[in-house]
Amino acid sequence: MDDNRNQYQIIRKDARNCFVESLRDAFEFGKVHLGFATYDMKLPAGQRQTNSVHIYIAVDEFLELCRKLTSGEMRHRLVQMKKSEEKAPLYKCLGGTSAEKLQRIGRARSDGKSLSRTAELHCGKNADFLFVANSGPGETNKTGLIVPRFGNNPENHVAVSMSWDVFSGFMLTTKAHYEAWLAAWYARQAEKPVQKKQEAPARMEAPPETKYDDMSMF
């Protein structure tokens, strides 16, 4: 993994030839950054990564997912879904980068479409969970949501099998780091001199959703 990425890594969980990691580089934009990757150890060093998907989850959405995890709500739902063999995801996140933004930053797709990124948490067959991330062509709807248009053939696909304990540790460790970052942010704000009324607060830029897309995670 690149040293620049290592300094932001909070926790990484591995499965067979794949992993998911959480990073703290998007906290200031109100996002939790998850990086999914697959790799092939038979390939030369530096060329082993075979798939890569970056998911950005809104902090409030992430914290609600943690609440369901710790309250017992998710375990109850997991048991019910396994009994009924329900195929719907326990959780789903839709995101990505619009065609307009890709064009603006010089990374337009050859098909002219938006880049869709999705993450889904499913009941696993051989483990409690299967955490799946996909990316591929998408379209931006009227509300600004990027809807996937790759069907069952994503350009990148990563599925990480996780036990209850592994998934809980991954989520709650990330949550603890966000809370620590937030407490530090408030402490810094308290130390700053009060701004004059006529001074407008600095505008925060959009999250760096494509910053690491071409950087190897393995």
Side-chain angles (χ1 to χ4, degrees), residues 113-171:
K113 292 185 178 294
S114 299
L115 174 63
S116 168
R117 301 188 191 92
T118 68
E120 295 183 353
L121 185 66
H122 288 271
C123 299
K125 291 183 179 180
N126 301 317
D128 294 309
F129 298 109
L130 195 64
F131 209 178
V132 182
N134 294 307
S135 69
E139 292 181 356
T140 307
N141 65 17
K142 293 180 180 179
T143 63
L145 181 68
I146 298 174
V147 182
R149 289 290 181 259
F150 47 74
N152 294 321
N153 297 294
E155 294 171 345
N156 286 277
H157 170 78
V158 184
V160 184
S161 182
M162 307 175 83
S163 69
W164 179 274
D165 289 345
V166 169
F167 180 70
S168 296
F170 178 81
M171 296 291 287

Side-chain angles (χ1 to χ4, degrees), residues 51-99:
N51 288 274
S52 172
V53 184
H54 295 270
I55 301 295
Y56 294 84
I57 303 175
V59 165
D60 59 343
E61 191 174 324
F62 178 82
L63 294 178
E64 172 60 11
L65 192 58
C66 289
R67 184 199 65 78
K68 290 179 179 178
L69 183 68
T70 57
S71 68
E73 182 179 334
M74 185 176 291
R75 184 180 289 276
H76 178 69
R77 181 63 177 146
L78 180 68
V79 171
Q80 283 185 324
M81 291 180 71
K82 285 197 171 187
K83 283 183 178 180
S84 62
E85 298 184 350
E86 190 175 337
K87 303 300 181 183
L90 285 154
Y91 166 76
K92 185 173 184 178
C93 173
L94 297 180
T97 307
S98 68

